[in-house]
């Protein structure tokens, strides 16, 4: 089977697993919006989401062995396409027309990107200085985005997407270095970069959990866009990956990116935030009982038997 086709198939399954994990994280965040990220460690549901993320990440790692970053990373946008109907299903609502339109635009844009990004299996890796430089710049950018301020959900989502994209680029370095058999299996490069992968993957997971407190659509859309952009920048600038087709290919890639961004924007606007559910229909359990009749007013005593109330400044005679 063609290596590029294997990468695409693995990326599709990985996107579905990531979508299920994102929906689980969003539902957990909406139920425990006041809980900090570290308190999630005691939740069994959160660990199920972590297991889904780990399975998706493993499939993603294998996909990176067969396909370049510029092919594998754009397919991560399918996470949002799968998460929207899944989230709607679990919320007990139908997928709206604008959500379907956003799904179609996203798929069309991804198709254009894949036409220009298709290429041979990756064979280049980041050197240790390059990996350290990328990691330092990414950590500084994440620190800026995580600083307290306005719109923390979208900023945390951007930081999460960047962290995940850099983790993918570093993961490709580890995968290629381990499987090419040209050097020792546990070299300093492999171990050091693997530690950086674990750090960025964990940070991206915790940042996304915080971002989902504001709902699923907009944060997941930002994560979905920031992830491939960060990975593609590393692939094109440091790993020698190129777009096919010359100037026409670049124009097609830009058009696809704009279509995908438009579709993701439509999906983010259409997905309701947590807590905005349709009012439930009243449950009919039978005819309502007749209201109790008003009790009869108590009979007033005869006027002569009502004691006279003393006026102010007067004593009641015995």
């Amino acid at each position: 089977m063609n290596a590029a086709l294997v990468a695409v198939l693995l990326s599709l399954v990985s996107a579905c697993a990531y979508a299920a994990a994102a929906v689980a994280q969003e539902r957990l965040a909406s139920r425990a919006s006041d809980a900090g990220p570290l308190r999630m460690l005691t939740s069994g549901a959160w660990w199920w989401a972590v297991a889904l993320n780990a399975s998706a990440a493993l499939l993603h790692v294998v996909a990176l062995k067969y396909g370049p970053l510029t092919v594998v990373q754009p397919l991560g946008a399918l996470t949002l396409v799968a998460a929207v109907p899944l989230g709607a299903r679990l919320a007990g609502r139908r997928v709206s027309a604008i959500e379907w339109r956003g799904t179609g635009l996203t798929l069309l844009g991804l198709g254009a990107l894949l036409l220009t990004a298709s290429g041979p299996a990756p064979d280049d890796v980041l050197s240790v200085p390059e990996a350290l430089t990328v990691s330092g710049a990414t950590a500084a950018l994440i620190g800026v985005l995580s600083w307290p301020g306005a719109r923390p959900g979208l900023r945390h989502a951007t930081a999460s997407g960047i962290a995940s994209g850099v983790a993918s680029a570093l993961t490709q370095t580890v995968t290629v270095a381990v499987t090419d058999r040209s050097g020792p299996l546990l070299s300093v490069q492999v171990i050091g970069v693997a530690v950086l992968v674990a750090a960025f993957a964990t940070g991206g997971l915790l940042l996304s959990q915080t971002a989902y407190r504001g709902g699923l659509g907009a944060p997941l859309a930002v994560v979905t866009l920031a992830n491939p952009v960060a990975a593609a920048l590393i692939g094109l600038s440091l790993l020698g990956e190129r777009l096919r087709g010359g100037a026409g290919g670049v124009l097609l890639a830009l058009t696809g990116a704009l279509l995908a961004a438009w579709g993701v924007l439509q999906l983010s606007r259409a997905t309701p935030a947590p807590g905005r559910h349709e009012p439930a229909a009243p449950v009919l359990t039978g005819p309502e009982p007749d209201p109790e009749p008003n009790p009869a007013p108590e009979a007033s005593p005869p006027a002569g038997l009502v004691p006279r109330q003393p006026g102010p400044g007067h004593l009641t005679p015995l």
Side-chain angles (χ1 to χ4, degrees):
M1 185 181 294
N2 187 10
L5 181 58
V6 173
V8 170
L9 292 177
L10 290 173
S11 298
L12 291 177
V13 180
S14 175
C16 292
Y18 273 128
V23 172
Q25 285 183 266
E26 186 272 334
R27 292 176 67 84
L28 182 62
S30 63
R31 292 197 301 265
S33 58
D34 296 333
L38 296 180
R39 293 190 61 182
M40 295 294 179
L41 298 178
T42 61
S43 172
W46 189 79
W47 283 108
W48 277 109
V50 171
L52 284 171
N53 273 304
S55 301
L58 181 60
L59 293 170
H60 187 76
V61 169
V62 181
L64 286 172
K65 170 57 183 173
Y66 292 98
L69 278 171
T70 47
V71 171
V72 174
Q73 289 304 121
L75 288 172
L78 294 177
T79 298
L80 182 61
V81 176
V84 169
L86 180 59
R89 174 81 176 179
L90 293 178
R93 62 178 181 86
R94 294 182 179 180
V95 181
S96 64
I98 190 174
E99 289 174 321
W100 286 123
R101 184 164 59 250
T103 299
L105 288 171
T106 304
L107 290 175
L108 186 61
L110 284 173
L113 286 173
L114 287 175
L115 286 177
T116 59
S118 299
D123 56 3
D124 199 3
V125 296
L126 293 175
S127 64
V128 174
E130 289 175 338
L132 292 176
T133 301
V134 169
S135 300
T138 304
L141 182 58
I142 291 175
V144 172
L145 292 171
S146 302
W147 196 261
R151 304 182 71 84
L154 295 182
R155 288 189 292 104
H156 288 172
T158 304
S160 174
I162 293 174
S164 300
V166 172
S168 296
L170 296 175
T171 297
Q172 179 169 298
T173 293
V174 174
T175 304
V176 174
V178 168
T179 57
D180 65 357
R181 307 187 182 206
S182 61
L185 182 63
L186 296 178
S187 62
V188 175
Q189 180 189 27
V190 171
I191 296 175
V193 176
V195 171
L196 293 174
V197 169
F200 282 116
T202 304
L205 179 64
L206 294 176
L207 285 167
S208 65
Q209 182 66 62
T210 305
Y212 290 147
R213 292 179 182 177
L216 178 65
L220 183 56
V222 173
V223 171
T224 302
L225 285 177
N227 188 322
V229 167
L233 287 176
I234 295 174
L236 294 172
S237 60
L238 298 176
L239 295 178
E241 298 181 3
R242 295 291 183 267
L243 297 176
R244 296 193 309 172
V250 173
L251 180 60
L252 182 59
L254 291 176
T255 303
L258 290 176
L259 287 174
W262 187 15
V264 169
L265 181 61
Q266 296 290 316
L267 288 170
S268 66
R269 288 178 175 178
T271 305
R276 295 182 182 178
H277 303 291
E278 295 295 330
V283 179
L284 300 179
T285 57
E288 296 184 0
D290 294 334
E292 296 183 1
N294 293 331
E298 296 182 1
S300 300
L305 298 179
V306 178
R308 186 179 61 182
Q309 299 297 327
H314 297 279
L315 297 177
T316 302
L318 297 177

